[in-house]
Amino acid sequence: QVQLVESGGGSVESGGSLRLSCATSGYSYSRYCMAWFRQAPGKEREGVAAIDVVGSTSYVDSVKGRFTISRDNAKNTLHLQMNNLKPEDTAMYYCAAGQASKRWYNGNYYCSGLRGTFGYWGQGTQVTVSS
C-alpha cells in the first residue's frame, strides 16, 4: 500500500522559511519521480518542484532561487526547503509520486519533471504566509 505523508507546514511571516517533508512507503521509492504541488483557495493546482531518480531538479519560475527540493533514497523521504516565503506562496502543499519511465536502449530510468504523471498523492500540509 503506497503512502505519502506530508509534514512541516505552518504559519510564517513574509520572508520566513519552512521545510516540508514527505514520508513515503509501499513502493520502490528510488525508481519514482517525486514532486511538490500546491493549491491555493479558488486556484488550480500548480506544480512547484520536481526531482528525478538521479536527483536532477526543476522548478516553477515563481519559486526559483527560493525553494529547494531534495530526496533521501535511503530514508524514502522527500523535502522542500522554502526560503524567503511570500504571501502568494500560501497554499496547501502536496507531495506526489510517479513511476519513472525506462529507456529501452539502456535500461536507465528517467522522469519528465512537472509535466510527468503522478499517480500517488499525499493528503497535504497547509502553508500560510502573512504579510
Side-chain angles (χ1 to χ4, degrees):
Q1 181 181 359
V2 176
Q3 286 191 320
L4 289 79
V5 180
E6 303 94 337
S7 62
S11 297
V12 296
E13 293 186 349
S14 182
S17 298
L18 285 173
R19 179 177 171 85
L20 304 184
S21 295
C22 176
T24 76
S25 62
Y27 64 102
S28 299
Y29 179 74
S30 62
R31 293 183 178 179
Y32 272 67
C33 316
M34 300 298 298
W36 289 96
F37 287 76
R38 66 186 180 187
Q39 187 166 21
K43 294 188 176 181
E44 292 188 354
R45 187 175 63 195
E46 173 188 41
V48 176
I51 187 166
D52 71 8
V53 294
V54 295
S56 297
T57 59
S58 56
Y59 300 89
V60 67
D61 285 346
S62 60
V63 307
K64 285 181 180 178
R66 300 189 298 121
F67 290 12
T68 302
I69 187 172
S70 62
R71 66 189 296 165
D72 184 337
N73 287 347
K75 297 182 178 180
N76 292 353
T77 57
L78 180 72
H79 301 285
L80 184 68
Q81 178 66 43
M82 305 186 295
N83 297 328
N84 191 22
L85 282 160
K86 303 176 180 181
E88 52 263 42
D89 295 318
T90 295
M92 184 72 79
Y93 282 71
Y94 298 91
C95 170
Q99 192 168 9
S101 300
K102 190 174 183 179
R103 299 187 190 281
W104 64 270
Y105 53 86
N106 62 10
N108 289 340
Y109 290 89
Y110 69 95
C111 301
S112 301
L114 290 169
R115 301 186 310 275
T117 300
F118 297 92
Y120 300 110
W121 296 82
Q123 293 298 309
T125 185
Q126 178 68 38
V127 172
T128 303
V129 185
S130 58
S131 56

